[in-house]
């Protein structure tokens, strides 16, 4: 059976005038429908690079990447991307921000407009429709950014450290919020994070990358998503064990220079 997303022997070298940086080397991995995957690894190892390749923004130097068995370059608008900074446009209202994706991709047909209204209603944004982003809390901004991405019905949602800019208190609530929207919409997701508790508590599988040029070092599997509350997941032995094991993997990475 085909996987939803498949990466085979992906490598990427950055070229500058002076030299070449080998960012990733022979990464093979897959993602199945409705899975939540986290990618962790040392800072600068190539996580953002990997997401950019999956998003079709960067072309790999070698290797093949397919979505539903088709080369990723032949698929259009199937990948949604959420960044650390929410990238909302301050001069557009919440509604105008959410509509932006549909405008850019020329998809403002009645069916999509209806879906947009449904999402706004379902996730409690009706009262904020005409507000500007600076009136919203950090958490609400991330929710708007997520809904803006979901409106485009991506088959895969990529999240690059989306909670990194939030303070500790807000972070907990926003993570639960984003995770439950993703679960409710049954979106396949790939999250890049340096926060192991986030990675383990949210994922079906956690892919640990080595330092640059990064390769897949180890993959951990969990059943934690069966438990609805993220805080409850963190109280289980399974959670503690996996966090511990990943620490050891990453720790050995630091000392192998
Ligand atoms: P991570 O997201 O894991 O922190 P990145 O994917 O951003 O890492 O970067 C991986 C490596 O590639 C780093 O050493 C970084 O300096 C380098 N790099 C990233 N983008 C570029 C670029 N556009 N040109 C040259 N080198 C780059
Ligand atoms: Mg990065």
């Amino acid at each position: 059976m085909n996987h939803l997303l498949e990466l085979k022997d992906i490598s990427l070298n950055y070229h500058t005038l002076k030299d070449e940086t080998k960012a990733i080397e022979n990464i093979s991995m897959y993602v199945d429908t409705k899975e939540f995957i986290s990618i962790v690894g040392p800072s600068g190892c190539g996580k953002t690079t990997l997401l950019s390749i999956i998003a079709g923004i960067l072309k790999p130097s070698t290797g093949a990447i397919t979505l539903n068995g088709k080369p990723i370059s032949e698929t259009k608008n199937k990948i949604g991307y959420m960044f650390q900074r929410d990238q909302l446009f301050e001069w557009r209202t919440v509604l105008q921000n959410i509509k932006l994706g549909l405008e850019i991709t020329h998809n403002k047909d009645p069916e999509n407009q209806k879906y947009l209204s449904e999402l706004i209603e379902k996730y409690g944004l009706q009262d904020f429709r005409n507000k500007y982003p600076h009136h919203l809390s950090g958490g609400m901004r991330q929710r708007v950014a997520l809904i803006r991405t979901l409106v485009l019905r991506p088959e895969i949602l990529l999240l690059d450290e989306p909670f990194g800019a939030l303070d500790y208190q807000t972070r907990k609530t926003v993570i639960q919020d984003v995770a439950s929207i993703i679960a409710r919409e049954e979106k396949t997701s790939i999250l890049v994070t340096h926060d192991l508790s986030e990675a383990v508590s949210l994922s079906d599988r956690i892919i640990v990358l080595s330092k640059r040029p990064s390769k897949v070092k180890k993959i951990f599997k969990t059943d934690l998503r069966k438990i609805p509350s993220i805080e409850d997941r963190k109280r289980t032995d399974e959670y503690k064990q996996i966090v511990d094991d990943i620490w050891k993997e990453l720790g050995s990475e630091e000392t192998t220079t």
Side-chain angles (χ1 to χ4, degrees):
M1 205 196 73
N2 269 345
H3 296 294
L4 175 65
L5 179 78
E6 217 164 350
L7 280 73
K8 278 199 192 123
D9 297 325
I10 295 289
S11 304
L12 188 131
N13 305 326
Y14 283 112
H15 297 277
T16 60
L17 284 178
K18 271 189 279 171
D19 54 9
E20 186 185 68
T21 306
K22 229 177 191 187
I24 58 183
E25 191 173 47
N26 289 330
I27 288 195
S28 294
M29 58 176 266
Y30 67 85
V31 179
D32 283 325
T33 305
K34 296 184 194 174
E35 262 194 312
F36 194 113
I37 303 285
S38 282
I39 297 176
V40 300
S43 168
C45 78
K47 301 181 292 296
T48 297
T49 303
L50 188 59
L51 284 195
S52 303
I53 292 172
I54 295 171
I57 299 167
L58 283 177
K59 217 172 145 344
S61 311
T62 67
I65 164 163
T66 54
L67 184 69
N68 286 317
K70 286 199 193 114
I72 202 101
S73 52
E74 289 172 20
T75 60
K76 236 183 140 193
N77 304 324
K78 294 289 168 72
I79 312 275
Y81 209 150
M82 236 180 107
F83 305 89
Q84 177 167 19
R85 291 189 45 243
D86 54 50
Q87 315 231 330
L88 296 178
F89 291 108
E90 301 295 337
W91 62 91
R92 291 188 142 228
T93 63
V94 165
L95 184 63
Q96 288 166 342
N97 264 289
I98 295 178
K99 276 187 177 166
L100 187 70
L102 292 182
E103 286 169 14
I104 294 172
T105 55
H106 308 290
N107 276 315
K108 275 173 69 186
D109 55 61
E111 198 195 326
N112 285 330
Q113 298 273 20
K114 185 163 164 266
Y115 183 53
L116 183 149
S117 306
E118 277 168 19
L119 285 175
I120 286 181
E121 179 96 3
K122 197 165 165 189
Y123 295 115
L125 293 175
Q126 6 4 355
D127 295 344
F128 298 93
R129 291 160 69 109
N130 299 319
K131 295 225 165 24
Y132 286 88
H134 70 268
H135 287 121
L136 308 182
S137 65
M140 201 48 109
R141 291 179 66 113
Q142 277 306 47
R143 190 190 289 196
V144 171
L146 177 62
I147 301 303
R148 179 174 69 181
T149 313
L150 291 180
V151 166
L152 298 171
R153 297 179 222 255
E155 287 206 42
I156 301 184
L157 192 59
L158 305 178
L159 305 132
D160 196 353
E161 311 250 12
F163 315 116
L166 301 168
D167 63 77
Y168 180 76
Q169 281 308 322
T170 323
R171 206 176 157 106
K172 261 193 179 172
T173 336
V174 177
I175 290 174
Q176 180 76 61
D177 189 46
V178 167
S180 47
I181 296 175
I182 287 174
R184 207 167 151 188
E185 299 300 317
E186 303 189 319
K187 279 292 154 199
T188 310
S189 306
I190 307 177
L191 168 75
V192 160
T193 176
H194 61 265
D195 183 332
L196 294 191
S197 79
E198 206 172 283
V200 178
S201 64
L202 295 177
S203 310
D204 299 301
R205 285 188 294 134
I206 303 105
I207 298 179
V208 181
L209 299 182
S210 70
K211 66 179 190 329
R212 197 165 56 79
S214 66
K215 304 180 193 67
V216 175
K217 198 157 186 247
K218 203 152 187 173
I219 299 174
F220 292 88
K221 207 171 170 358
T222 86
D223 278 322
L224 292 166
R225 280 185 89 203
K226 287 189 191 140
I227 305 170
S229 148
I230 291 171
E231 292 312 304
D232 287 345
R233 292 176 197 169
K234 291 185 186 169
R235 292 190 191 96
T236 61
D237 290 338
E238 184 184 1
Y239 167 85
K240 289 171 192 157
Q241 185 65 54
I242 297 175
V243 170
D244 222 43
D245 290 348
I246 299 179
W247 258 118
K248 282 179 197 143
E249 284 298 329
L250 291 172
S252 67
E253 232 6 72
E254 299 295 310
T255 52
T256 49
T257 26

